[in-house]
Amino acid sequence: MAKPTSVVDTSPSVEAQGAPSRKANNTPGIVAWADDRLGLGKVGRTGLRKVFPDHWSFLLGEIALYSFIVLLLTGVFLTIWFKPSMAEIHYDGSYQLMKGMPISEAFASTLEISFDVRGGLLVRQIHHWAALLFVAASTVHMLRVFFTGAFRKPREINWLIGVGLLSMSLMAGFTGYSLPDDLLSGTGLRFVDGLIRSIPLVGTWVEFLVFGGEFPGSLIISRLYMAHILLIPGLLLGLVSAHLALVVYHKHTQYPGPGRTENNVVGYPLFPVYMAKAGGFFFIVFGFLVLMGGLFQINPVWNYGPYDPAKVTAGSQPDWYMGFVEGALRLIPPFWESHWGGTTWTWAVFVPGVGLMGILFTLLGVWPFVERWLTGDDREHHLLDRPRNAPTRTALGVAGITAYGLFWLGGSNDIIATRFSLSLNAITIFLRIAVFVGPIIAFIITKRICLALQRADRERALHGSEDGVIVRSVEGGYSEAHVPVDAHEQFALTQHLQRQALAAGGSTDAAGVAKKGGIGGLRARLSRWYLGSDIAKPTAAEIEAAHHHDEDDHDRPVLEGSSHR
C-alpha cells in the first residue's frame, strides 16, 4: 500500500545563509546557467515531487490527453499536403475510377494523401481514430468525474473547463470531418446548414455569413480549415493547460481508503514513478492508434465520391458523437412548425438540433451549483464519492445516459430497420416513446440498486461476512459464523459523509448565528427528494454493539434445525 508522501520545504533561515556556488557542483554548465536565471531547480524540486494517487479510472483523462497529442502530431503532417480549396479541377491522380472527374481541390488532395503520399493513408486514419478516441475518452472521463463527485468545491471551475473542452472537441471533430469535401461530409454540412437556417429570425443571415452565400457556397472548406488547424486547437491547448494547472493547484482527488483524508494525497511522486508510467502509457495509446489506423479502415472517401448538392449517400451516418443530434431530429415529428408574420419557425429542427445541444451543455455547466444548492454543502471535497453513496445523482446520470443512447439509436433507425428487417415506422414510434419512458425506468432501477448496495454495506459493516464454514452442533442444528471486516474495509464502508436534507426556515452558521435569508419550501422539498432516501450509515456505537451481539450469539447453543449469524 502506498504511503503518504510529502515535500519538505527549505527553512527561510537556511536559505538566508546563502546557497553554495553553482560552480562547486557537477551540474552541467547550461543547466546551471538556466537555473540561475529561471529558478528551475526550485520549481523542479517542488514539481517533480508532486504526489498523485493511483487508480485505473484516472487513466481516462490521460487517454484523452495522449490522443490529443497524437492529433496534433498527425495533423501537422496532413496540413502539409491538404489544400483547403473548393475550386473545381479535373482529377488526374492514381485512383483510376475517378480519372477525369470534376472534383474540388480539397477532395483531390485528400485522395493524393490517401494514395500518393508515402504513409499518408495510415496517418490520415490514425488522425481520424485519434479524434474518435479523444472525444470518447473525454466523455467517459467526465462521467467518472460526475459519478464520483469530483466536480464539487473547489473544482467547479475545472468542471466548467471540462465542459468547454468537450464542446470544443465536438467542434474540432466536426470541422475535421467536413474537410475532405466528399459526399458523406457534404451531407453532414447540409445537415448543419439546416440547423443554422432553423434559428428563428437570424438563421438565414447566419447561413450567408458562414457559407459566404447560399449553401454550399465556395468558402466553407477554407473557413473550416482555419478553424480546425488554428482557432479550435488554440482554444483546446489553452483549456487543457488551464485544466492541468488547476489539477496540480487543487491537488488530485482520491478514492477513500486507509490513510486518505481531505487534507493529504496518498500516492506516488511525479518523478520518477509517474513520469515513467505516463511515458509508457503514452506509447501504449500511440501504438494502439497506429494498429487501428493500419488494420481498421475508416472514412474511405473514394467510395463516396466528391460532394454533389443534388445527391445524398445512402445510409449516411455521422461520427458517433453527433449521432444523438441526428437521432433527435429523426424522432421529432416533422410537422411541428409555426407561421408568424410571414415567417416560418421550424421547431422540429431547431429544438432537437440546436436546442438539445444547448440543453445538454447548460445542464452540465450548472450541475455543480445545482447540487450545492440542493445539499447546502459548502465544504471542500478531495475524497471522491462511491456512486452508491450518492444514489439520486447516480440515477440522474444513468437516466441521462439512457436518453442519450436512445437518441443515438434513433440516428441509425434506417440502418437498424434494414439490417434486422424491421419496420422503420415501428422503430421510430418505439423510440419516440422510449426516449421519455426509458430514462424514468433507468432512474428508478438505478436508485433502487444504489440503495440496496448501501443496505448491503451497512449490513457488512455491522455483521461482517460469512466465513463459508457450515457447522453442525451436537443438537443437530447448523450455523455459519460471521467474520468482522478488517479496519481498512470498515473505514471504506463508513467514511462517507452522511448528508442531511435541508429543512425549511432560517439557517445558522457554525457559531449558531442566524444567516441572512433562509431555506425556502421548494428548496427543502427538492433537498428531501435528493437526499432523503439515503440509508443511514452505522455509527461506531452500533458497530460495537453488533460485534458484541455476534460474539454472544455465536457462543449460544444452537437448536436443531435452526441457524443464526
Side-chain angles (χ1 to χ4, degrees):
M1 179 62 69
K3 302 299 181 183
T5 306
S6 60
V7 178
V8 180
D9 294 328
T10 304
S11 169
S13 60
V14 175
E15 291 182 349
Q17 297 176 5
S21 173
R22 297 283 183 185
K23 297 180 180 179
N25 56 34
N26 295 324
T27 306
I30 187 65
V31 176
W33 181 88
D35 188 17
D36 287 338
R37 288 154 181 80
L38 301 175
L40 298 179
K42 184 178 181 180
V43 175
R45 285 193 299 272
T46 303
L48 295 179
R49 300 304 297 174
K50 186 73 175 178
V51 176
F52 292 91
D54 195 26
H55 193 271
W56 67 266
S57 64
F58 300 151
L59 298 179
L60 297 170
E62 293 188 36
I63 293 175
L65 176 62
Y66 301 153
S67 301
F68 181 60
I69 294 173
V70 174
L71 282 171
L72 295 178
L73 296 175
T74 54
V76 170
F77 178 90
L78 296 175
T79 301
I80 297 172
W81 304 99
F82 183 73
K83 298 177 181 178
S85 172
M86 298 178 71
E88 187 175 285
I89 63 173
H90 289 277
Y91 180 68
D92 191 29
S94 59
Y95 188 62
Q96 297 298 317
L97 296 180
M98 289 188 181
K99 281 282 189 180
M101 286 184 61
I103 61 177
S104 68
E105 285 191 321
F107 187 64
S109 64
T110 304
L111 293 178
E112 181 184 5
I113 292 172
S114 301
F115 295 113
D116 301 319
V117 175
R118 190 182 296 269
L121 181 59
L122 175 63
V123 175
R124 200 179 131 249
Q125 297 203 147
I126 291 173
H127 189 76
H128 202 137
W129 281 119
L132 298 181
L133 184 60
F134 174 58
V135 181
S138 299
T139 302
V140 180
H141 174 63
M142 284 199 69
L143 289 175
R144 196 276 300 173
V145 171
F146 175 83
F147 284 118
T148 59
F151 54 81
R152 294 171 295 175
K153 184 181 178 181
R155 296 176 177 83
E156 299 96 334
I157 296 177
N158 222 5
W159 170 262
L160 293 175
I161 291 174
V163 174
L165 279 169
L166 184 61
S167 63
M168 287 292 103
S169 67
L170 297 185
M171 294 178 63
F174 174 76
T175 54
Y177 169 84
S178 304
L179 289 180
D181 199 28
D182 61 291
L183 187 55
L184 182 61
S185 66
T187 303
L189 274 175
R190 168 66 82 178
F191 175 85
V192 171
D193 174 64
L195 296 184
I196 295 174
R197 290 168 66 94
S198 72
I199 301 174
L201 298 180
V202 299
T204 304
W205 304 104
V206 175
E207 179 202 26
F208 281 21
L209 176 65
V210 172
F211 289 91
E214 287 189 283
F215 178 86
S218 59
L219 302 174
I220 188 62
I221 296 299
S222 58
R223 290 180 174 180
L224 290 177
Y225 182 71
M226 289 296 102
H228 186 70
I229 70 168
L230 290 178
L231 177 61
I232 298 177
L235 292 174
L236 283 172
L237 279 171
L239 291 174
V240 168
S241 301
H243 186 72
L244 294 178
L246 285 177
V247 168
V248 174
Y249 176 74
H250 289 140
K251 74 185 180 183
H252 204 293
T253 54
Q254 58 186 344
Y255 287 94
R260 301 174 186 178
T261 69
E262 299 283 6
N263 301 315
N264 70 356
V265 178
V266 178
Y268 299 98
L270 177 63
F271 180 83
V273 179
Y274 262 99
M275 290 186 69
K277 293 176 68 173
F281 191 54
F282 168 75
F283 286 106
I284 290 175
V285 173
F286 201 166
F288 182 74
L289 289 171
V290 171
L291 285 176
M292 293 183 69
L295 299 177
F296 306 126
Q297 178 176 269
I298 189 170
N299 199 23
V301 295
W302 51 90
N303 288 340
Y304 310 135
Y307 180 62
D308 184 344
K311 300 177 182 177
V312 175
T313 306
S316 59
Q317 298 287 300
D319 280 339
W320 70 268
Y321 46 83
M322 296 300 295
F324 77 104
V325 180
E326 179 156 335
L329 281 168
R330 296 189 185 191
L331 296 183
I332 295 295
F335 48 78
W336 188 18
E337 293 182 348
S338 299
H339 302 277
W340 296 335
T343 61
T344 300
W345 301 55
T346 311
W347 304 112
V349 177
F350 176 75
V351 172
V354 181
L356 183 63
M357 286 190 290
I359 291 172
L360 172 63
F361 287 105
T362 300
L363 289 177
L364 288 175
V366 303
W367 177 254
F369 310 99
V370 170
E371 179 168 299
R372 182 178 175 184
W373 182 76
L374 289 172
T375 61
D377 187 0
D378 198 32
R379 292 164 292 193
E380 287 196 5
H381 294 277
H382 303 288
L383 286 178
L384 298 173
D385 281 337
R386 300 172 78 197
R388 67 185 65 182
N389 292 330
T392 306
R393 180 210 296 153
T394 302
L396 286 172
V398 174
I401 293 172
T402 302
Y404 179 93
L406 290 170
F407 280 127
W408 188 67
L409 288 175
S412 57
N413 58 354
D414 55 337
I415 304 298
I416 296 173
T418 56
R419 289 290 185 268
F420 296 96
S421 301
L422 300 174
S423 168
L424 178 63
N425 291 334
I427 294 173
T428 303
I429 293 172
F430 169 78
L431 289 175
R432 284 175 179 172
I433 299 172
V435 79
F436 293 102
V437 178
I440 298 174
I441 296 174
F443 176 88
I444 295 172
I445 293 175
T446 302
K447 189 166 184 178
R448 290 181 66 88
I449 291 174
C450 289
L451 294 177
L453 291 172
Q454 283 189 7
R455 292 188 185 95
D457 285 348
R458 175 182 172 86
E459 187 72 14
R460 186 172 179 82
L462 288 173
H463 302 291
S465 60
E466 296 87 352
D467 62 2
V469 178
I470 306 298
V471 179
R472 182 178 181 182
S473 68
V474 293
E475 293 83 4
Y478 295 89
S479 65
E480 184 178 9
H482 276 61
V483 179
V485 297
D486 58 40
H488 291 174
E489 186 177 359
Q490 190 75 266
F491 176 81
L493 293 173
T494 59
Q495 58 74 38
H496 60 280
L497 295 172
Q498 190 69 58
R499 301 179 295 180
Q500 300 296 327
L502 301 177
S507 57
T508 58
D509 59 18
V513 179
K515 296 181 180 179
K516 291 183 178 181
I519 298 172
L522 175 62
R523 183 181 179 187
R525 288 192 295 272
L526 290 174
S527 181
R528 284 196 300 272
W529 169 78
Y530 191 74
L531 299 174
S533 57
D534 289 8
I535 306 301
K537 67 178 183 180
T539 63
E542 288 176 330
I543 294 175
E544 187 67 24
H547 287 175
H548 285 305
H549 173 75
D550 289 342
E551 291 173 359
D552 295 340
D553 194 38
H554 181 68
D555 295 335
R556 189 179 301 120
V558 181
L559 299 178
E560 184 174 355
S562 67
S563 63
H564 70 283
R565 292 185 300 189

